[in-house]
Amino acid sequence: MKKLFILAFTLSLFGCSNSDEISKVKNYYFSENATNCAYIFYNVEGAEPLTMKERTINYYFNERNIITTSSSYDFGWKYEDGSGPNEVHYFKGINMIK
């Protein structure tokens, strides 16, 4: 009974979530030739959704450094008001920006 109480208490503090739906790594691939700002437009009807594979979301910007997606801005977030800690990488073309 004591173990069940501790488990229930722990779940009430931290909540239950499917960890496969939470991103841990975000990779941003910017256009190699673009020099302008980058934009992501979310909730665009008819656009492709973002995908997550092995808890990694890859953002591929077009030649104008724009992404349009049908996904919500909070895709892959851990909390209702934030994404939680993530490892983030930035690329220009295929070269990582340091």
Side-chain angles (χ1 to χ4, degrees):
M1 183 68 176
K2 186 176 181 180
K3 288 181 184 177
L4 181 59
F5 174 74
I6 291 171
L7 176 62
F9 180 72
T10 303
L11 290 175
S12 69
L13 282 178
F14 299 105
C16 294
S17 64
N18 183 349
S19 63
D20 292 338
E21 297 175 2
I22 301 168
S23 68
K24 284 304 222 182
V25 178
K26 293 182 179 178
N27 296 319
Y28 294 90
Y29 293 89
F30 299 104
S31 171
E32 191 166 355
N33 299 321
T35 57
N36 59 316
C37 296
Y39 300 95
I40 302 175
F41 296 97
Y42 295 96
N43 298 318
V44 176
E45 192 174 320
E48 292 291 320
L50 295 172
T51 59
M52 184 173 1
K53 184 175 182 181
E54 297 176 9
R55 299 180 68 182
T56 299
I57 303 173
N58 292 308
Y59 296 86
Y60 294 100
F61 291 84
N62 66 17
E63 66 281 349
R64 295 175 52 209
N65 273 346
I66 297 173
I67 294 175
T68 55
T69 179
S70 59
S71 298
S72 174
Y73 72 91
D74 59 358
F75 176 77
W77 282 20
K78 182 172 185 175
Y79 309 106
E80 185 175 321
D81 60 349
S83 62
N86 280 276
E87 182 179 327
V88 180
H89 304 120
Y90 300 96
F91 297 84
K92 191 165 186 178
I94 60 170
N95 300 310
M96 186 183 289
I97 302 170
K98 296 180 182 185

